[in-house]
Amino acid sequence: MIGFGSIGRGTLPLIERHIGFDREAFTVIEPSSEFAHILRDHGIRHLPLALTPENYEATLRGLFPAGKGMVVNLSVDVDSILLMELCATLGVQYIDTVVEPWPGFYFGSTLPNAERTNYPLREKVRDLGRAHVGGPTAVSCCGANPGMVSWLLKEALLKLAEDTDVAAAPASREDWAQLAMTLGVKGVHVAERDTQVSAKAKPQGVFVNTWSVDGLLSEGYQPAELGWGTHEKKLPPHGHAFTHGAGYAIWIDRPGADTRVRSWCPGVGPQFGYVVTHNESLSIPDYYTVRDGERAIYRPTCHYAYHPCNDAVLSLHEINGAGQLPESKHILTADEIVSGGDDLGVFLYGHAKGAMWYGSRLTIDEARNLAPYQNATGMQVTSAVLAAMVWVAENPHAGWVEADEMDHERCLQVQRPYLGRIECHYTDWTPVQHRINSFAEDRDDEDPWQFTNFLAV
Ligand code: NAD
């Protein structure tokens, strides 16, 4: 395991509970000693070292002399693509929750904004992956989102088909895309509401979140990015198409952590979410594209609509106002959180029943009772990592894949005990409803499901 942060710590007890492994051979590479006592208590070897471009190859070669095993990368600041290539060479399996580059990409980069998006990173993974068909399995981008939400989307599509009397037995990527088109799904939000709160008020100047602050800052200050549906009539302000690749996405020349959309989650109903860029905003539209020859005739719009915990919203407000990254960071632990939970699902809109939210609703109390060292947000991620590990062990020669290409039934079967309640909610809400007084806006009343209607400027 690389990285023993909030996700690494939460994943360890799930591995111990569900996976048979050789304790002598299990190594955690983690530069910080802050949580080394947990590794000592569990009898797991700690390699206190930061992977760098200079040492990563020798370090991993040293750990896998027999070319057998699995790398689970739960770090920040380590180049995922180089690790995937090395693991393929070593003959070991690999799992990651994001496509992460070495430091220097997210901040202080001289790259133009179009190149600081996830699109070129994903395109590179997909291109390189074509050379690894049938090779050691490497799962790219499999946590809760990206990851689990792709499995939930498949369940949601089957449920929508059942509820609208559409026959469905999809068996291939093409079948799934065809099903989404037949159902008339115009778009998918990965709609999340994190309601976890601490008893202690957030101190001014401290960035507080329920998972990696570094991770949120990195992706939050990349440009906003989204899968671009075939029903969309016009680009949003500062929106740009990509000039290379299959063109399933667009980017907006604004930070995702300062780009809000109207969205919907159970419990709260209509809410703002941030269009923080994520791999699922790219993999889902790509996976669900229906083509007639070269021409895309159907593709859903897809993006993250993230309402982080209240302390993180306030933290973003503070740093956006200051125009400076925070000096102090804090991840809320399960012990500090007094109430709330995480609702994370897919919000499918534009179909015969209007809109539907389908996802996991997990409270902090449930998370605390399920496994140690994690809050509700972490549990949705760590259990997805566990599901990916099981699937990889059962499918060791699947080459380079994303969550959309894995067996969603098997993965959710492993993960479901850790997800609280999986709920389905239909709503007649649309983004053109509800305004406090009326003001000038770019509004399309003919089609409420246009992205410009969701975008709050
Ligand atoms: P964290 O910030 O709590 O921990 C990251 C850990 O990586 C830290 O302990 C840090 O010391 C370690 N690290 C930093 N540089 C390293 C290096 N060079 N070599 C080895 N280790 C290094 O983050 P987290 O909340 O545990 O998240 C871990 C990763 O998972 C992040 O990349 C995050 O974006 C990702 N994540 C994905 C999802 C998802 O749903 N897909 C959800 C949450 C987090």
Side-chain angles (χ1 to χ4, degrees):
M1 183 187 289
I2 305 170
F4 198 58
S6 78
I7 303 304
R9 294 195 296 281
T11 303
L12 177 63
L14 303 190
I15 293 176
E16 288 185 317
R17 192 179 288 174
H18 295 282
I19 304 213
F21 64 92
D22 175 1
R23 201 167 282 270
E24 297 289 301
F26 190 168
T27 302
V28 173
I29 304 174
E30 165 58 58
S32 162
S33 56
E34 192 182 350
F35 297 100
H37 60 279
I38 297 181
L39 292 169
R40 269 197 308 277
D41 290 350
H42 287 252
I44 303 288
R45 180 172 169 234
H46 179 196
L47 196 54
L49 141 99
L51 291 182
T52 63
E54 293 72 36
N55 71 12
Y56 81 96
E57 186 168 347
T59 305
L60 289 181
R61 278 187 188 281
L63 289 174
F64 295 102
K68 238 180 91 194
M70 196 185 284
V71 170
V72 180
N73 182 8
L74 303 173
S75 65
V76 294
D77 285 347
V78 176
D79 190 307
S80 308
I81 297 177
L82 286 179
L83 291 194
M84 288 171 87
E85 290 277 34
L86 178 59
C87 286
T89 310
L90 295 176
V92 304
Q93 281 68 30
Y94 178 83
I95 293 169
D96 210 330
T97 61
V98 282
V99 184
E100 185 97 3
W102 296 118
F105 176 84
Y106 293 121
F107 299 105
S109 166
T110 53
L111 290 172
N113 276 350
E115 294 299 310
R116 285 202 315 111
T117 56
N118 281 348
Y119 185 83
L121 290 174
R122 175 174 189 267
E123 285 290 292
K124 190 169 172 190
V125 172
R126 300 301 281 177
D127 276 352
L128 292 171
R130 287 184 243 287
H132 295 286
V133 176
T137 306
V139 176
S140 176
C141 298
C142 191
N145 62 313
M148 168 192 79
V149 293
S150 291
W151 308 329
L152 291 174
L153 176 56
K154 288 189 168 170
E155 275 199 356
L157 288 168
L158 293 176
K159 168 102 178 94
L160 183 59
E162 190 185 321
D163 292 352
T164 54
D165 294 325
V166 171
S172 63
R173 185 204 71 78
E174 287 76 13
D175 292 351
W176 282 104
Q178 188 69 46
L179 175 61
M181 181 167 90
T182 306
L183 292 170
V185 175
K186 286 187 173 171
V188 179
H189 288 179
V190 172
E192 178 170 7
R193 176 71 178 229
D194 183 342
T195 56
Q196 292 166 104
V197 287
S198 157
K200 226 173 85 195
K202 186 192 94 59
Q204 165 74 30
V206 181
F207 197 112
V208 175
N209 195 17
T210 50
W211 58 283
S212 182
V213 174
D214 291 323
L216 174 57
L217 293 172
S218 302
E219 62 190 28
Y221 291 88
Q222 287 179 272
E225 205 172 359
L226 57 148
W228 197 236
T230 41
H231 73 288
E232 301 288 359
K233 296 180 193 169
K234 66 174 181 185
L235 288 172
H238 307 294
H240 300 272
F242 287 100
T243 53
H244 60 96
Y248 43 79
I250 66 158
W251 64 284
I252 306 177
D253 206 349
R254 292 181 54 82
D258 199 15
T259 303
R260 291 176 313 175
V261 282
R262 299 181 171 87
S263 186
W264 194 97
C265 267
V268 286
Q271 65 166 6
F272 275 148
Y274 293 106
V275 188
V276 171
T277 184
H278 260 200
N279 196 73
E280 75 271 20
S281 310
L282 309 176
S283 74
I284 288 173
D286 194 11
Y287 188 85
Y288 287 91
T289 299
V290 177
R291 288 202 162 71
D292 179 11
E294 287 296 290
R295 198 169 63 91
I297 55 169
Y298 168 77
R299 177 189 303 126
T301 290
C302 182
H303 56 85
Y304 197 9
Y306 180 32
H307 190 308
C309 70
N310 289 353
D311 278 355
V313 173
L314 184 54
S315 302
L316 287 172
H317 188 70
E318 278 176 9
I319 69 167
N320 282 328
Q324 275 183 338
L325 290 170
E327 290 196 350
S328 183
K329 305 166 189 173
H330 180 65
I331 301 177
L332 291 175
T333 64
D335 298 334
E336 289 170 282
I337 295 169
V338 287
S339 67
D342 208 321
D343 293 346
L344 172 57
V346 284
F347 180 73
L348 284 62
Y349 58 82
H351 47 77
K353 288 179 81 74
M356 167 213 236
W357 186 95
Y358 188 88
S360 152
R361 305 191 71 188
L362 180 68
T363 67
I364 181 65
D365 293 331
E366 288 165 331
R368 240 188 248 116
N369 286 333
L370 283 164
Y373 313 136
Q374 52 209 316
N375 56 40
T377 311
M379 178 126 279
Q380 288 163 333
V381 182
T382 60
S383 55
V385 173
L386 173 72
M389 290 183 74
V390 171
W391 186 85
V392 166
E394 292 171 352
N395 298 272
H397 301 292
W400 291 19
V401 297
E402 293 176 316
D404 308 280
E405 296 158 323
M406 297 159 77
D407 176 351
H408 77 282
E409 281 182 24
R410 176 65 175 136
C411 291
L412 283 176
Q413 182 188 39
V414 173
Q415 194 181 6
R416 209 176 287 271
Y418 293 102
L419 293 180
R421 288 134 295 128
I422 302 274
E423 291 184 8
C424 174
H425 295 259
Y426 286 105
T427 171
D428 59 6
W429 175 82
T430 77
V432 291
Q433 291 173 0
H434 306 308
R435 297 289 185 275
I436 302 167
N437 288 340
S438 149
F439 292 92
E441 58 181 301
D442 184 3
R443 191 181 161 103
D444 187 328
D445 284 306
E446 274 173 25
D447 178 7
W449 306 116
Q450 289 293 306
F451 178 69
T452 43
N453 285 337
F454 287 103
L455 189 63
V457 282

